[in-house]
Amino acid sequence: MTAPQAAPGDNAHAAPTTAPQTWAERARAELQRAGYRRGGAREQLIDLLARERCALTIQEMAARLQDAYRRGANPRPVGIASVYRGIELLAELALVARVDVGDGIARYERASVENSDQDRDHHHHHHFICDRCGLLMPFDDQALEQAIVALEDRVGFSVSGHEVLLHGACSDCRDARR
Amino acid sequence: MTAPQAAPGDNAHAAPTTAPQTWAERARAELQRAGYRRGGAREQLIDLLARERCALTIQEMAARLQDAYRRGANPRPVGIASVYRGIELLAELALVARVDVGDGIARYERASVENSDQDRDHHHHHHFICDRCGLLMPFDDQALEQAIVALEDRVGFSVSGHEVLLHGACSDCRDARR
DNA sequence: TTTACTGCAAATTATTTGCACGGTT
DNA sequence: AACCGTGCAAATAATTTGCAGTAAA
């Protein structure tokens, strides 16, 4: 993925906005700042991700956009390639985070701004995956975050993000096994 | 993957061994207990994993086994399908852990026994991935482990394992970007 | 002798890419 | 007008599966 030749309305040096934004607003602003245009597929993808709380697969995203098209909510179909391309771009700009739960299928969800509350949708979390039924469950834990922040200073690298994944059996599956 | 019809020499109810084992010993013992036989490819795969400290891709494992064959160290070639099948089996028995670092390629490494020191090779760790050059670096942190153990009691699930992945730039890449 | 294990090659499935057309700036 | 963004279909690449022969118990 290569960035466009130039950013026509490049406002990178404008005074930063401090008012809280939604994730979608921030995403559109950063895309524009980086010189990208607003295509139909990209816009629809942003709206879709903005609506979701937790991670979706590419197939799920494509299916939902396809449904919206059939339902008449969207003017034209969105090809799966555009979903891949859109996600790739959003991931590069760190606007979405990839989540791998171990089944070999990539999932993505909107990323929160680290150490900031500028984002009204902010909802940093991690995941629990049920290895029996595949249930994906988000959770957050303040003590864990603190341990990770402390750790980040100790490792000799520049840490830009982190993920924690818990494996196990959800309550239904735990009961079912008996 | 379906387990064999029966476990001929099933010793599941024998008195448990308390002497520390290597990972390879434990792996072979558990495979046998579950009724699996000792095939050439599986044996070679176990030896390979036992030698490695950190995660390998399937391609890397296949290449090393292929090299060993060419070098004459192994009697016959190992097909990549056998590597996939062997890893799948070891993963089911929780003898290896899958590590996803976000590039869409599955990696595996031997798993340590949770809360136990029966395994001489025991080396529980997590990973740092350089998103620029792909360097994969293992690390461990006692405070992090404690935070996760505490957390496991709080979530409403039966947690069998966990993974932590730090993203960022390694020292070389951090310097190179300047 | 029975049934598991294996290599090879074919089949799937996720993901990427080439290309011509329509849209945004 | 210039060049980006998109859908579609073809091309890749990872992973899985079918099958016939070999080996473990």
PDB file of all heavy atoms in Angstrom, chain D residues 5-18:
ATOM      1  P    DG D   5      -7.462   6.757  -2.958  1.00  0.00           P
ATOM      2  OP1  DG D   5      -7.885   7.322  -1.664  1.00  0.00           O
ATOM      3  OP2  DG D   5      -6.337   5.812  -3.037  1.00  0.00           O
ATOM      4  O5'  DG D   5      -8.740   6.069  -3.618  1.00  0.00           O
ATOM      5  C5'  DG D   5      -9.969   6.764  -3.601  1.00  0.00           C
ATOM      6  C4'  DG D   5     -11.090   5.829  -4.017  1.00  0.00           C
ATOM      7  O4'  DG D   5     -10.966   5.529  -5.419  1.00  0.00           O
ATOM      8  C3'  DG D   5     -11.077   4.498  -3.283  1.00  0.00           C
ATOM      9  O3'  DG D   5     -12.430   4.167  -3.007  1.00  0.00           O
ATOM     10  C2'  DG D   5     -10.423   3.544  -4.277  1.00  0.00           C
ATOM     11  C1'  DG D   5     -10.871   4.126  -5.604  1.00  0.00           C
ATOM     12  N9   DG D   5      -9.992   3.936  -6.751  1.00  0.00           N
ATOM     13  C8   DG D   5      -8.629   4.046  -6.802  1.00  0.00           C
ATOM     14  N7   DG D   5      -8.141   3.856  -8.017  1.00  0.00           N
ATOM     15  C5   DG D   5      -9.272   3.619  -8.790  1.00  0.00           C
ATOM     16  C6   DG D   5      -9.387   3.361 -10.174  1.00  0.00           C
ATOM     17  O6   DG D   5      -8.499   3.299 -11.030  1.00  0.00           O
ATOM     18  N1   DG D   5     -10.713   3.169 -10.557  1.00  0.00           N
ATOM     19  C2   DG D   5     -11.792   3.234  -9.709  1.00  0.00           C
ATOM     20  N2   DG D   5     -12.982   3.015 -10.231  1.00  0.00           N
ATOM     21  N3   DG D   5     -11.695   3.474  -8.408  1.00  0.00           N
ATOM     22  C4   DG D   5     -10.408   3.662  -8.025  1.00  0.00           C
ATOM     23  P    DT D   6     -12.826   2.801  -2.394  1.00  0.00           P
ATOM     24  OP1  DT D   6     -13.997   3.003  -1.533  1.00  0.00           O
ATOM     25  OP2  DT D   6     -11.593   2.188  -1.872  1.00  0.00           O
ATOM     26  O5'  DT D   6     -13.315   2.018  -3.678  1.00  0.00           O
ATOM     27  C5'  DT D   6     -14.338   2.618  -4.478  1.00  0.00           C
ATOM     28  C4'  DT D   6     -14.894   1.621  -5.473  1.00  0.00           C
ATOM     29  O4'  DT D   6     -14.017   1.583  -6.619  1.00  0.00           O
ATOM     30  C3'  DT D   6     -14.963   0.210  -4.905  1.00  0.00           C
ATOM     31  O3'  DT D   6     -16.269  -0.311  -5.042  1.00  0.00           O
ATOM     32  C2'  DT D   6     -13.953  -0.589  -5.716  1.00  0.00           C
ATOM     33  C1'  DT D   6     -13.727   0.243  -6.956  1.00  0.00           C
ATOM     34  N1   DT D   6     -12.323   0.245  -7.419  1.00  0.00           N
ATOM     35  C2   DT D   6     -12.082   0.042  -8.744  1.00  0.00           C
ATOM     36  O2   DT D   6     -12.964  -0.130  -9.572  1.00  0.00           O
ATOM     37  N3   DT D   6     -10.754   0.027  -9.099  1.00  0.00           N
ATOM     38  C4   DT D   6      -9.678   0.208  -8.254  1.00  0.00           C
ATOM     39  O4   DT D   6      -8.530   0.183  -8.695  1.00  0.00           O
ATOM     40  C5   DT D   6     -10.007   0.424  -6.875  1.00  0.00           C
ATOM     41  C7   DT D   6      -8.913   0.627  -5.867  1.00  0.00           C
ATOM     42  C6   DT D   6     -11.301   0.428  -6.525  1.00  0.00           C
ATOM     43  P    DG D   7     -16.554  -1.753  -4.454  1.00  0.00           P
ATOM     44  OP1  DG D   7     -17.855  -1.682  -3.768  1.00  0.00           O
ATOM     45  OP2  DG D   7     -15.387  -2.309  -3.762  1.00  0.00           O
ATOM     46  O5'  DG D   7     -16.764  -2.560  -5.813  1.00  0.00           O
ATOM     47  C5'  DG D   7     -17.728  -2.114  -6.752  1.00  0.00           C
ATOM     48  C4'  DG D   7     -17.690  -3.018  -7.967  1.00  0.00           C
ATOM     49  O4'  DG D   7     -16.403  -2.879  -8.612  1.00  0.00           O
ATOM     50  C3'  DG D   7     -17.847  -4.494  -7.640  1.00  0.00           C
ATOM     51  O3'  DG D   7     -18.679  -5.100  -8.638  1.00  0.00           O
ATOM     52  C2'  DG D   7     -16.433  -5.036  -7.660  1.00  0.00           C
ATOM     53  C1'  DG D   7     -15.723  -4.119  -8.650  1.00  0.00           C
ATOM     54  N9   DG D   7     -14.330  -3.855  -8.317  1.00  0.00           N
ATOM     55  C8   DG D   7     -13.802  -3.633  -7.069  1.00  0.00           C
ATOM     56  N7   DG D   7     -12.521  -3.409  -7.076  1.00  0.00           N
ATOM     57  C5   DG D   7     -12.176  -3.472  -8.416  1.00  0.00           C
ATOM     58  C6   DG D   7     -10.900  -3.305  -9.054  1.00  0.00           C
ATOM     59  O6   DG D   7      -9.816  -3.047  -8.538  1.00  0.00           O
ATOM     60  N1   DG D   7     -10.987  -3.464 -10.434  1.00  0.00           N
ATOM     61  C2   DG D   7     -12.146  -3.744 -11.119  1.00  0.00           C
ATOM     62  N2   DG D   7     -12.032  -3.867 -12.431  1.00  0.00           N
ATOM     63  N3   DG D   7     -13.330  -3.897 -10.538  1.00  0.00           N
ATOM     64  C4   DG D   7     -13.270  -3.750  -9.195  1.00  0.00           C
ATOM     65  P    DC D   8     -19.175  -6.602  -8.460  1.00  0.00           P
ATOM     66  OP1  DC D   8     -20.530  -6.697  -9.030  1.00  0.00           O
ATOM     67  OP2  DC D   8     -18.907  -7.056  -7.084  1.00  0.00           O
ATOM     68  O5'  DC D   8     -18.182  -7.348  -9.451  1.00  0.00           O
ATOM     69  C5'  DC D   8     -18.053  -6.877 -10.795  1.00  0.00           C
ATOM     70  C4'  DC D   8     -16.934  -7.639 -11.494  1.00  0.00           C
ATOM     71  O4'  DC D   8     -15.653  -7.090 -11.126  1.00  0.00           O
ATOM     72  C3'  DC D   8     -16.900  -9.130 -11.155  1.00  0.00           C
ATOM     73  O3'  DC D   8     -16.956  -9.877 -12.361  1.00  0.00           O
ATOM     74  C2'  DC D   8     -15.583  -9.323 -10.430  1.00  0.00           C
ATOM     75  C1'  DC D   8     -14.739  -8.149 -10.934  1.00  0.00           C
ATOM     76  N1   DC D   8     -13.706  -7.679  -9.986  1.00  0.00           N
ATOM     77  C2   DC D   8     -12.455  -7.323 -10.481  1.00  0.00           C
ATOM     78  O2   DC D   8     -12.243  -7.387 -11.699  1.00  0.00           O
ATOM     79  N3   DC D   8     -11.503  -6.892  -9.612  1.00  0.00           N
ATOM     80  C4   DC D   8     -11.764  -6.832  -8.301  1.00  0.00           C
ATOM     81  N4   DC D   8     -10.796  -6.407  -7.493  1.00  0.00           N
ATOM     82  C5   DC D   8     -13.048  -7.193  -7.785  1.00  0.00           C
ATOM     83  C6   DC D   8     -13.979  -7.606  -8.643  1.00  0.00           C
ATOM     84  P    DA D   9     -17.029 -11.495 -12.244  1.00  0.00           P
ATOM     85  OP1  DA D   9     -18.013 -11.931 -13.252  1.00  0.00           O
ATOM     86  OP2  DA D   9     -17.154 -11.921 -10.841  1.00  0.00           O
ATOM     87  O5'  DA D   9     -15.584 -11.886 -12.765  1.00  0.00           O
ATOM     88  C5'  DA D   9     -14.952 -11.091 -13.772  1.00  0.00           C
ATOM     89  C4'  DA D   9     -13.515 -11.546 -13.898  1.00  0.00           C
ATOM     90  O4'  DA D   9     -12.718 -10.924 -12.855  1.00  0.00           O
ATOM     91  C3'  DA D   9     -13.342 -13.049 -13.724  1.00  0.00           C
ATOM     92  O3'  DA D   9     -12.323 -13.505 -14.603  1.00  0.00           O
ATOM     93  C2'  DA D   9     -12.947 -13.190 -12.272  1.00  0.00           C
ATOM     94  C1'  DA D   9     -12.093 -11.940 -12.077  1.00  0.00           C
ATOM     95  N9   DA D   9     -12.006 -11.470 -10.696  1.00  0.00           N
ATOM     96  C8   DA D   9     -12.944 -11.562  -9.709  1.00  0.00           C
ATOM     97  N7   DA D   9     -12.561 -11.059  -8.566  1.00  0.00           N
ATOM     98  C5   DA D   9     -11.280 -10.588  -8.820  1.00  0.00           C
ATOM     99  C6   DA D   9     -10.327  -9.947  -8.018  1.00  0.00           C
ATOM    100  N6   DA D   9     -10.523  -9.642  -6.742  1.00  0.00           N
ATOM    101  N1   DA D   9      -9.146  -9.623  -8.594  1.00  0.00           N
ATOM    102  C2   DA D   9      -8.941  -9.925  -9.880  1.00  0.00           C
ATOM    103  N3   DA D   9      -9.759 -10.526 -10.736  1.00  0.00           N
ATOM    104  C4   DA D   9     -10.927 -10.838 -10.133  1.00  0.00           C
ATOM    105  P    DA D  10     -11.916 -15.061 -14.628  1.00  0.00           P
ATOM    106  OP1  DA D  10     -12.265 -15.531 -15.983  1.00  0.00           O
ATOM    107  OP2  DA D  10     -12.452 -15.755 -13.433  1.00  0.00           O
ATOM    108  O5'  DA D  10     -10.334 -15.012 -14.503  1.00  0.00           O
ATOM    109  C5'  DA D  10      -9.610 -13.974 -15.183  1.00  0.00           C
ATOM    110  C4'  DA D  10      -8.235 -13.842 -14.558  1.00  0.00           C
ATOM    111  O4'  DA D  10      -8.359 -13.259 -13.242  1.00  0.00           O
ATOM    112  C3'  DA D  10      -7.526 -15.186 -14.373  1.00  0.00           C
ATOM    113  O3'  DA D  10      -6.145 -15.036 -14.679  1.00  0.00           O
ATOM    114  C2'  DA D  10      -7.759 -15.493 -12.902  1.00  0.00           C
ATOM    115  C1'  DA D  10      -7.733 -14.106 -12.279  1.00  0.00           C
ATOM    116  N9   DA D  10      -8.468 -13.988 -11.012  1.00  0.00           N
ATOM    117  C8   DA D  10      -9.716 -14.464 -10.714  1.00  0.00           C
ATOM    118  N7   DA D  10     -10.096 -14.206  -9.488  1.00  0.00           N
ATOM    119  C5   DA D  10      -9.034 -13.509  -8.946  1.00  0.00           C
ATOM    120  C6   DA D  10      -8.810 -12.941  -7.674  1.00  0.00           C
ATOM    121  N6   DA D  10      -9.683 -13.001  -6.681  1.00  0.00           N
ATOM    122  N1   DA D  10      -7.629 -12.314  -7.466  1.00  0.00           N
ATOM    123  C2   DA D  10      -6.755 -12.250  -8.467  1.00  0.00           C
ATOM    124  N3   DA D  10      -6.834 -12.736  -9.715  1.00  0.00           N
ATOM    125  C4   DA D  10      -8.019 -13.362  -9.880  1.00  0.00           C
ATOM    126  P    DA D  11      -5.093 -16.208 -14.349  1.00  0.00           P
ATOM    127  OP1  DA D  11      -4.073 -16.166 -15.422  1.00  0.00           O
ATOM    128  OP2  DA D  11      -5.862 -17.446 -14.068  1.00  0.00           O
ATOM    129  O5'  DA D  11      -4.393 -15.743 -12.995  1.00  0.00           O
ATOM    130  C5'  DA D  11      -3.790 -14.454 -12.950  1.00  0.00           C
ATOM    131  C4'  DA D  11      -2.995 -14.324 -11.667  1.00  0.00           C
ATOM    132  O4'  DA D  11      -3.911 -14.213 -10.555  1.00  0.00           O
ATOM    133  C3'  DA D  11      -2.080 -15.509 -11.361  1.00  0.00           C
ATOM    134  O3'  DA D  11      -0.873 -15.011 -10.791  1.00  0.00           O
ATOM    135  C2'  DA D  11      -2.889 -16.311 -10.361  1.00  0.00           C
ATOM    136  C1'  DA D  11      -3.609 -15.212  -9.593  1.00  0.00           C
ATOM    137  N9   DA D  11      -4.879 -15.602  -8.953  1.00  0.00           N
ATOM    138  C8   DA D  11      -5.901 -16.338  -9.485  1.00  0.00           C
ATOM    139  N7   DA D  11      -6.924 -16.493  -8.666  1.00  0.00           N
ATOM    140  C5   DA D  11      -6.542 -15.800  -7.526  1.00  0.00           C
ATOM    141  C6   DA D  11      -7.180 -15.580  -6.286  1.00  0.00           C
ATOM    142  N6   DA D  11      -8.383 -16.050  -5.985  1.00  0.00           N
ATOM    143  N1   DA D  11      -6.516 -14.853  -5.367  1.00  0.00           N
ATOM    144  C2   DA D  11      -5.300 -14.379  -5.675  1.00  0.00           C
ATOM    145  N3   DA D  11      -4.600 -14.520  -6.797  1.00  0.00           N
ATOM    146  C4   DA D  11      -5.282 -15.245  -7.690  1.00  0.00           C
ATOM    147  P    DT D  12       0.423 -15.971 -10.741  1.00  0.00           P
ATOM    148  OP1  DT D  12       1.557 -15.160 -11.193  1.00  0.00           O
ATOM    149  OP2  DT D  12       0.075 -17.274 -11.381  1.00  0.00           O
ATOM    150  O5'  DT D  12       0.628 -16.257  -9.203  1.00  0.00           O
ATOM    151  C5'  DT D  12      -0.470 -16.207  -8.326  1.00  0.00           C
ATOM    152  C4'  DT D  12      -0.012 -15.622  -7.005  1.00  0.00           C
ATOM    153  O4'  DT D  12      -1.200 -15.465  -6.220  1.00  0.00           O
ATOM    154  C3'  DT D  12       0.888 -16.585  -6.241  1.00  0.00           C
ATOM    155  O3'  DT D  12       1.709 -15.837  -5.356  1.00  0.00           O
ATOM    156  C2'  DT D  12      -0.105 -17.450  -5.514  1.00  0.00           C
ATOM    157  C1'  DT D  12      -1.254 -16.483  -5.229  1.00  0.00           C
ATOM    158  N1   DT D  12      -2.590 -17.114  -5.359  1.00  0.00           N
ATOM    159  C2   DT D  12      -3.453 -16.961  -4.301  1.00  0.00           C
ATOM    160  O2   DT D  12      -3.173 -16.342  -3.285  1.00  0.00           O
ATOM    161  N3   DT D  12      -4.670 -17.560  -4.478  1.00  0.00           N
ATOM    162  C4   DT D  12      -5.102 -18.274  -5.569  1.00  0.00           C
ATOM    163  O4   DT D  12      -6.223 -18.754  -5.588  1.00  0.00           O
ATOM    164  C5   DT D  12      -4.142 -18.405  -6.649  1.00  0.00           C
ATOM    165  C7   DT D  12      -4.511 -19.168  -7.869  1.00  0.00           C
ATOM    166  C6   DT D  12      -2.952 -17.814  -6.481  1.00  0.00           C
ATOM    167  P    DA D  13       2.828 -16.651  -4.519  1.00  0.00           P
ATOM    168  OP1  DA D  13       3.859 -15.661  -4.137  1.00  0.00           O
ATOM    169  OP2  DA D  13       3.187 -17.887  -5.242  1.00  0.00           O
ATOM    170  O5'  DA D  13       2.062 -17.080  -3.190  1.00  0.00           O
ATOM    171  C5'  DA D  13       1.567 -16.069  -2.307  1.00  0.00           C
ATOM    172  C4'  DA D  13       1.067 -16.733  -1.048  1.00  0.00           C
ATOM    173  O4'  DA D  13      -0.237 -17.299  -1.310  1.00  0.00           O
ATOM    174  C3'  DA D  13       1.936 -17.884  -0.563  1.00  0.00           C
ATOM    175  O3'  DA D  13       1.988 -17.847   0.862  1.00  0.00           O
ATOM    176  C2'  DA D  13       1.224 -19.114  -1.064  1.00  0.00           C
ATOM    177  C1'  DA D  13      -0.230 -18.677  -1.015  1.00  0.00           C
ATOM    178  N9   DA D  13      -1.083 -19.336  -1.995  1.00  0.00           N
ATOM    179  C8   DA D  13      -0.746 -19.747  -3.259  1.00  0.00           C
ATOM    180  N7   DA D  13      -1.735 -20.318  -3.914  1.00  0.00           N
ATOM    181  C5   DA D  13      -2.790 -20.262  -3.015  1.00  0.00           C
ATOM    182  C6   DA D  13      -4.128 -20.700  -3.099  1.00  0.00           C
ATOM    183  N6   DA D  13      -4.637 -21.287  -4.171  1.00  0.00           N
ATOM    184  N1   DA D  13      -4.909 -20.500  -2.027  1.00  0.00           N
ATOM    185  C2   DA D  13      -4.393 -19.895  -0.941  1.00  0.00           C
ATOM    186  N3   DA D  13      -3.155 -19.442  -0.744  1.00  0.00           N
ATOM    187  C4   DA D  13      -2.399 -19.660  -1.835  1.00  0.00           C
ATOM    188  P    DA D  14       2.707 -19.005   1.690  1.00  0.00           P
ATOM    189  OP1  DA D  14       3.694 -18.309   2.537  1.00  0.00           O
ATOM    190  OP2  DA D  14       3.111 -20.102   0.794  1.00  0.00           O
ATOM    191  O5'  DA D  14       1.539 -19.536   2.629  1.00  0.00           O
ATOM    192  C5'  DA D  14       0.854 -18.616   3.460  1.00  0.00           C
ATOM    193  C4'  DA D  14      -0.368 -19.290   4.043  1.00  0.00           C
ATOM    194  O4'  DA D  14      -1.206 -19.751   2.969  1.00  0.00           O
ATOM    195  C3'  DA D  14      -0.058 -20.509   4.902  1.00  0.00           C
ATOM    196  O3'  DA D  14      -0.874 -20.448   6.072  1.00  0.00           O
ATOM    197  C2'  DA D  14      -0.408 -21.685   4.010  1.00  0.00           C
ATOM    198  C1'  DA D  14      -1.501 -21.128   3.126  1.00  0.00           C
ATOM    199  N9   DA D  14      -1.581 -21.703   1.774  1.00  0.00           N
ATOM    200  C8   DA D  14      -0.591 -21.810   0.847  1.00  0.00           C
ATOM    201  N7   DA D  14      -0.965 -22.371  -0.285  1.00  0.00           N
ATOM    202  C5   DA D  14      -2.308 -22.650  -0.080  1.00  0.00           C
ATOM    203  C6   DA D  14      -3.280 -23.248  -0.896  1.00  0.00           C
ATOM    204  N6   DA D  14      -3.058 -23.695  -2.128  1.00  0.00           N
ATOM    205  N1   DA D  14      -4.529 -23.394  -0.388  1.00  0.00           N
ATOM    206  C2   DA D  14      -4.762 -22.931   0.850  1.00  0.00           C
ATOM    207  N3   DA D  14      -3.935 -22.357   1.716  1.00  0.00           N
ATOM    208  C4   DA D  14      -2.697 -22.239   1.179  1.00  0.00           C
ATOM    209  P    DT D  15      -0.661 -21.495   7.243  1.00  0.00           P
ATOM    210  OP1  DT D  15      -1.107 -20.846   8.479  1.00  0.00           O
ATOM    211  OP2  DT D  15       0.689 -22.080   7.161  1.00  0.00           O
ATOM    212  O5'  DT D  15      -1.724 -22.614   6.880  1.00  0.00           O
ATOM    213  C5'  DT D  15      -3.089 -22.239   6.801  1.00  0.00           C
ATOM    214  C4'  DT D  15      -3.925 -23.387   6.293  1.00  0.00           C
ATOM    215  O4'  DT D  15      -3.621 -23.656   4.909  1.00  0.00           O
ATOM    216  C3'  DT D  15      -3.747 -24.717   7.038  1.00  0.00           C
ATOM    217  O3'  DT D  15      -5.019 -25.060   7.588  1.00  0.00           O
ATOM    218  C2'  DT D  15      -3.295 -25.701   5.969  1.00  0.00           C
ATOM    219  C1'  DT D  15      -3.807 -25.038   4.692  1.00  0.00           C
ATOM    220  N1   DT D  15      -3.109 -25.365   3.436  1.00  0.00           N
ATOM    221  C2   DT D  15      -3.858 -25.897   2.396  1.00  0.00           C
ATOM    222  O2   DT D  15      -5.051 -26.114   2.477  1.00  0.00           O
ATOM    223  N3   DT D  15      -3.151 -26.161   1.257  1.00  0.00           N
ATOM    224  C4   DT D  15      -1.804 -25.960   1.036  1.00  0.00           C
ATOM    225  O4   DT D  15      -1.302 -26.238  -0.047  1.00  0.00           O
ATOM    226  C5   DT D  15      -1.071 -25.405   2.157  1.00  0.00           C
ATOM    227  C7   DT D  15       0.398 -25.145   2.035  1.00  0.00           C
ATOM    228  C6   DT D  15      -1.750 -25.142   3.290  1.00  0.00           C
ATOM    229  P    DT D  16      -5.275 -26.439   8.313  1.00  0.00           P
ATOM    230  OP1  DT D  16      -6.319 -26.234   9.325  1.00  0.00           O
ATOM    231  OP2  DT D  16      -3.982 -27.055   8.666  1.00  0.00           O
ATOM    232  O5'  DT D  16      -5.925 -27.288   7.134  1.00  0.00           O
ATOM    233  C5'  DT D  16      -7.025 -26.733   6.435  1.00  0.00           C
ATOM    234  C4'  DT D  16      -7.630 -27.766   5.504  1.00  0.00           C
ATOM    235  O4'  DT D  16      -6.784 -27.958   4.358  1.00  0.00           O
ATOM    236  C3'  DT D  16      -7.825 -29.143   6.138  1.00  0.00           C
ATOM    237  O3'  DT D  16      -9.163 -29.525   5.856  1.00  0.00           O
ATOM    238  C2'  DT D  16      -6.792 -30.031   5.447  1.00  0.00           C
ATOM    239  C1'  DT D  16      -6.617 -29.336   4.110  1.00  0.00           C
ATOM    240  N1   DT D  16      -5.282 -29.434   3.473  1.00  0.00           N
ATOM    241  C2   DT D  16      -5.219 -29.807   2.151  1.00  0.00           C
ATOM    242  O2   DT D  16      -6.202 -30.102   1.491  1.00  0.00           O
ATOM    243  N3   DT D  16      -3.955 -29.816   1.602  1.00  0.00           N
ATOM    244  C4   DT D  16      -2.778 -29.488   2.246  1.00  0.00           C
ATOM    245  O4   DT D  16      -1.723 -29.527   1.627  1.00  0.00           O
ATOM    246  C5   DT D  16      -2.909 -29.128   3.635  1.00  0.00           C
ATOM    247  C7   DT D  16      -1.688 -28.771   4.408  1.00  0.00           C
ATOM    248  C6   DT D  16      -4.142 -29.116   4.177  1.00  0.00           C
ATOM    249  P    DT D  17      -9.741 -30.954   6.299  1.00  0.00           P
ATOM    250  OP1  DT D  17     -11.189 -30.746   6.507  1.00  0.00           O
ATOM    251  OP2  DT D  17      -8.895 -31.523   7.362  1.00  0.00           O
ATOM    252  O5'  DT D  17      -9.550 -31.832   4.984  1.00  0.00           O
ATOM    253  C5'  DT D  17     -10.018 -31.337   3.751  1.00  0.00           C
ATOM    254  C4'  DT D  17      -9.820 -32.381   2.677  1.00  0.00           C
ATOM    255  O4'  DT D  17      -8.460 -32.322   2.178  1.00  0.00           O
ATOM    256  C3'  DT D  17     -10.060 -33.818   3.125  1.00  0.00           C
ATOM    257  O3'  DT D  17     -10.851 -34.464   2.133  1.00  0.00           O
ATOM    258  C2'  DT D  17      -8.666 -34.420   3.211  1.00  0.00           C
ATOM    259  C1'  DT D  17      -7.906 -33.623   2.156  1.00  0.00           C
ATOM    260  N1   DT D  17      -6.459 -33.450   2.365  1.00  0.00           N
ATOM    261  C2   DT D  17      -5.637 -33.539   1.265  1.00  0.00           C
ATOM    262  O2   DT D  17      -6.039 -33.775   0.150  1.00  0.00           O
ATOM    263  N3   DT D  17      -4.309 -33.335   1.529  1.00  0.00           N
ATOM    264  C4   DT D  17      -3.725 -33.040   2.736  1.00  0.00           C
ATOM    265  O4   DT D  17      -2.519 -32.867   2.817  1.00  0.00           O
ATOM    266  C5   DT D  17      -4.643 -32.982   3.853  1.00  0.00           C
ATOM    267  C7   DT D  17      -4.112 -32.695   5.216  1.00  0.00           C
ATOM    268  C6   DT D  17      -5.953 -33.182   3.616  1.00  0.00           C
ATOM    269  P    DG D  18     -11.273 -36.004   2.339  1.00  0.00           P
ATOM    270  OP1  DG D  18     -12.729 -36.094   2.082  1.00  0.00           O
ATOM    271  OP2  DG D  18     -10.709 -36.529   3.597  1.00  0.00           O
ATOM    272  O5'  DG D  18     -10.517 -36.678   1.115  1.00  0.00           O
ATOM    273  C5'  DG D  18     -10.630 -36.122  -0.202  1.00  0.00           C
ATOM    274  C4'  DG D  18      -9.991 -37.053  -1.217  1.00  0.00           C
ATOM    275  O4'  DG D  18      -8.560 -36.895  -1.189  1.00  0.00           O
ATOM    276  C3'  DG D  18     -10.252 -38.534  -0.960  1.00  0.00           C
ATOM    277  O3'  DG D  18     -10.311 -39.201  -2.225  1.00  0.00           O
ATOM    278  C2'  DG D  18      -9.049 -38.957  -0.137  1.00  0.00           C
ATOM    279  C1'  DG D  18      -7.937 -38.083  -0.708  1.00  0.00           C
ATOM    280  N9   DG D  18      -6.901 -37.660   0.243  1.00  0.00           N
ATOM    281  C8   DG D  18      -7.090 -37.241   1.537  1.00  0.00           C
ATOM    282  N7   DG D  18      -5.968 -36.886   2.120  1.00  0.00           N
ATOM    283  C5   DG D  18      -5.000 -37.071   1.151  1.00  0.00           C
ATOM    284  C6   DG D  18      -3.602 -36.841   1.195  1.00  0.00           C
ATOM    285  O6   DG D  18      -2.928 -36.395   2.122  1.00  0.00           O
ATOM    286  N1   DG D  18      -2.982 -37.175  -0.011  1.00  0.00           N
ATOM    287  C2   DG D  18      -3.627 -37.666  -1.108  1.00  0.00           C
ATOM    288  N2   DG D  18      -2.866 -37.932  -2.162  1.00  0.00           N
ATOM    289  N3   DG D  18      -4.938 -37.879  -1.171  1.00  0.00           N
ATOM    290  C4   DG D  18      -5.552 -37.554  -0.008  1.00  0.00           C
TER     291       DG D  18
END
